[in-house]
Structures are given as structure tokens and as C-alpha cells.
Amino acid sequence: MSVAEPRRIVLFRHAKADWPQVADHERPLADRGRMDAAEAGRRLTDTGIAFDLALCSTAVRTRETWKLAVQEFPQRPKTVYEERIYEASPGELIALLNETPDDAQNVLMIGHNPGIQGLADVLADSGEDDARERMTRRGFPAAAFAVLTFGGTWKSLEPGVATLQDYWAPAE
């Protein structure tokens, strides 16, 4: 792969979680979350992006979201469960993405708010007007995802270098 080819980062917030009496990290998906995770998987497949790598938080709700979404993919990418995604700031998420091997062109990150939305906001210097407007209006509800592109190496990823190409969120 040439570094001249644009790289894609898809930032995917976990689906709607339930609120049982467990530690936050152990919260499972709600019934609605299970349905939305599968729908998000179908929508991610519709983008036509062949993911090389999925980085998923170790929290129960993110792992369940990923398990349901990836069932809709034609091919499962390499998956790394990364505890540093849980409760990470946008800067910490950028540092994690900076560690991505350069042979990965398309990366999917499954994580949490406010970090995932914050990362989409700080990375995207520009964007497709419709996608930007929808993301601004809707925020980043559970099971939403944003597709961003940038040029260069993963080590060069920093605020303002990406373009928001697409955005999707489940219907409320």
C-alpha cells in the first residue's frame, strides 16, 4: 500500500447499553442495542470499506456491539481488544491510532462517548456538508459511526488532518 492512498478511520460508538447493578465496564447491551448493533453492521457493510483492523474497547457493551455488527461483514478483520479505549480522551485515542501498523489502510474503532465523538470532531478539518450537518445535529448517539479519511502514515495522524466522508446513526 502506498502512503498516497487515503486511509480510513471509522469511529463507531457502542450500541445502547442496559443499566443493571454492575460496574460500568461490565454493562451489557439493552435489547434495543442488540438490534441497532446489527443494523450498524449492515450499514458499515454498505459503505464498501474492507477493514484491515478493528480496535475494540474491552468493555462488555463494546465487545457485544462488535460481535453483532461483524456478523454482517463479508469478511472479519483482525480484531484487537484494547483496554486503553475505555474512558479515553480524543488525544489518547489519537496516540493509540498512531501505533497502528502502516500496512493497515482501513481501521474501525469501537468505543465510547465522549471520546469517540470528540475524536471525530478534532480529526475532521473538513467534511461532506451533509455528513457534517447530520453529525452536528444528531451528536453521536449509541451505535452511530463516522467515516473519516486522511493521507499519510498512522504516525502522522493528528487533529485537523482528516475529512469527514460519511456519518450514520440509528433512528430514534
Side-chain angles (χ1 to χ4, degrees):
M1 192 205 102
S2 157
V3 229
E5 294 178 55
R7 296 183 190 277
R8 286 189 198 93
I9 308 165
V10 176
L11 302 173
F12 181 18
R13 182 178 176 199
H14 66 78
K16 184 169 180 56
D18 205 353
W19 289 93
Q21 295 297 316
V22 297
D24 184 67
H25 192 273
E26 304 309 310
R27 288 177 48 219
L29 290 181
D31 290 341
R32 162 93 185 267
R34 285 189 276 284
M35 290 187 306
D36 288 347
E39 177 64 17
R42 288 187 287 279
R43 297 296 182 129
L44 285 164
T45 298
D46 290 347
T47 68
I49 299 169
F51 293 102
D52 303 303
L53 177 64
L55 300 171
C56 183
S57 165
T58 56
V60 170
R61 59 192 178 273
T62 50
R63 292 188 326 238
E64 288 182 355
T65 297
W66 176 232
K67 180 180 178 183
L68 292 164
V70 76
Q71 290 177 16
E72 304 295 329
F73 286 29
Q75 186 173 336
R76 183 186 179 98
K78 175 183 178 185
T79 301
V80 175
Y81 295 95
E82 177 56 67
E83 63 186 26
R84 293 179 291 170
I85 295 173
Y86 182 71
E87 295 187 338
S89 69
E92 292 166 328
L93 294 172
I94 289 173
L96 179 61
L97 286 164
N98 289 155
E99 298 172 13
T100 303
D102 278 327
D103 61 351
Q105 182 178 358
N106 301 315
V107 174
L108 175 66
M109 179 179 278
I110 306 99
H112 312 265
N113 260 4
I116 289 291
Q117 180 175 359
L119 182 58
D121 288 339
V122 302
L123 287 179
D125 180 47
S126 62
E128 300 293 326
D129 289 341
D130 182 51
R132 172 71 74 184
E133 188 275 327
R134 284 182 287 126
M135 192 170 85
T136 300
R137 181 172 32 87
R138 298 280 317 274
F140 227 91
F145 65 82
V147 179
L148 299 109
T149 59
F150 77 101
T153 65
W154 290 104
K155 286 179 180 51
S156 70
L157 181 66
E158 61 183 33
V161 300
T163 300
L164 176 66
Q165 295 290 311
D166 199 3
Y167 167 83
W168 179 83
E172 292 294 320

